[in-house]
């Protein structure tokens, strides 16, 4: 195939648009499905939303770690035979994009569930086995892994309980106190590119 920086930028832009749209769909539909599922086990909505938010953040973390290890492996293999015309870094990205099925997403899902099981904010009381969220976690891990192949990569924003509400970063949930200045807890993470929010997250604000 012919390779050019212009073609690469166009492909990157169209893949980015698809992945951002997928993030939006997971938020709108699959997150809601997971909420409905968890409500059959847990009556407290805050706990349910905290669990799903944690699953999303941990999925991105696990996928980024897996991507980093996969990239090192591919780079070592390709460096033995690479000759151009694109740079070795571009060849590595190209390979990963074309061979995403080699990503062991099930290992990432297990890592996410392990992390959730020891997270003190959501692990007690142990009313539920987080394996019931495997479908959502797998979708998020695959999405996050693909987002690492973009230039620049996409990631979810870091959020902490009690942070000052930022309307450029979050929407308030309908059950929020709209006069409250601080975030009580997070419902969904914001999506960022080079530190700039491109899709707002959702939080609950309370006094």
């Amino acid at each position: 195939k012919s390779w050019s920086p212009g073609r690469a930028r166009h492909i990157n832009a169209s893949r980015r648009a698809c992945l951002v749209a997928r993030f939006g769909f997971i938020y709108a539909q699959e997150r809601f499905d997971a909420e409905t599922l968890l409500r059959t086990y847990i009556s407290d909505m805050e706990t349910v939303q905290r669990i799903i938010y944690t699953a999303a953040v941990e999925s991105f973390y696990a996928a980024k770690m897996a991507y980093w290890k996969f990239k090192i492996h591919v780079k070592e293999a390709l460096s033995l035979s690479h000759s151009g015309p694109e740079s070795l870094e571009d060849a590595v990205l190209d390979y990963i994009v074309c061979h995403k099925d080699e990503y062991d997403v099930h290992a990432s899902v297990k890592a996410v569930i392990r992390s959730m099981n020891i997270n003190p904010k959501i692990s007690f009381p142990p009313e539920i086995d987080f394996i019931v969220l495997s479908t959502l976690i797998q979708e998020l891990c695959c999405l996050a892994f693909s987002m690492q192949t973009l230039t620049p990569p996409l990631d979810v924003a870091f959020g902490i309980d009690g942070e000052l509400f930022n309307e450029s970063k979050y929407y308030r949930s309908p059950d929020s106190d709209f006069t409250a200045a601080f975030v009580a807890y997070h419902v969904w993470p914001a999506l960022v590119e080079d530190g700039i929010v491109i899709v707002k997250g959702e939080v609950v604000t309370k006094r």
Side-chain angles (χ1 to χ4, degrees), residues 119-137:
N119 186 314
K121 286 186 180 178
I122 61 170
S123 59
F124 301 103
E127 295 151 321
I128 185 171
D129 188 333
F130 294 131
I131 201 164
V132 300
L133 293 178
S134 291
T135 301
L136 176 67
I137 293 168

Side-chain angles (χ1 to χ4, degrees), residues 8-198:
R9 277 195 297 271
H10 175 72
I11 291 171
N12 188 73
S14 54
R15 283 200 306 113
R16 177 187 180 278
C18 289
L19 293 172
V20 171
R22 181 73 187 131
F23 183 80
F25 179 80
I26 292 174
Y27 165 72
Q29 186 59 54
E30 296 177 39
R31 175 188 64 92
F32 179 75
D33 293 342
E35 249 182 34
T36 303
L37 174 64
L38 287 181
R39 287 302 295 272
T40 63
Y41 301 93
I42 302 167
S43 59
D44 180 53
M45 191 59 171
E46 177 179 334
T47 302
V48 166
Q49 291 179 326
R50 281 182 180 274
I51 287 170
I52 292 172
Y53 173 78
T54 303
V57 172
E58 291 289 351
S59 294
F60 266 78
Y61 179 77
K64 284 189 296 179
M65 291 298 100
Y67 176 81
W68 178 70
K69 291 175 184 174
F70 189 49
K71 186 178 178 182
I72 289 173
H73 172 71
V74 171
K75 197 168 190 175
E76 287 173 350
L78 290 186
S79 64
L80 302 173
S81 59
H82 179 72
S83 59
E86 76 271 52
S87 68
L88 175 60
E89 193 70 18
D90 287 331
V92 169
L93 276 179
D94 201 33
Y95 178 92
I96 296 172
V97 169
C98 295
H99 297 84
K100 289 197 299 289
D101 56 334
E102 293 181 19
Y103 165 41
D104 185 359
V105 66
H106 299 295
S108 289
V109 171
K110 288 177 183 175
V112 171
I113 292 171
R114 274 198 305 272
S115 294
M116 292 175 71
N117 280 330
I118 59 171
N119 186 314
K121 286 186 180 178
I122 61 170
S123 59
F124 301 103
E127 295 151 321
I128 185 171
D129 188 333
F130 294 131
I131 201 164
V132 300
L133 293 178
S134 291
T135 301
L136 176 67
I137 293 168
Q138 182 171 324
E139 285 287 334
L140 285 164
C141 285
C142 287
L143 177 69
F145 187 89
S146 292
M147 284 180 166
Q148 302 315 299
T149 67
L150 296 170
T151 308
L154 302 182
D155 198 3
V156 289
F158 179 71
I160 54 169
D161 291 354
E163 69 179 292
L164 188 66
F165 175 74
N166 181 345
E167 65 179 19
S168 67
K169 187 176 179 181
Y170 301 120
Y171 294 109
R172 280 185 169 98
S173 283
D175 54 345
S176 293
D177 177 344
F178 279 70
T179 64
F182 298 99
V183 172
Y185 65 92
H186 298 73
V187 175
W188 193 251
L191 191 67
V192 295
E193 180 181 61
D194 267 352
I196 297 167
V197 175
I198 58 171

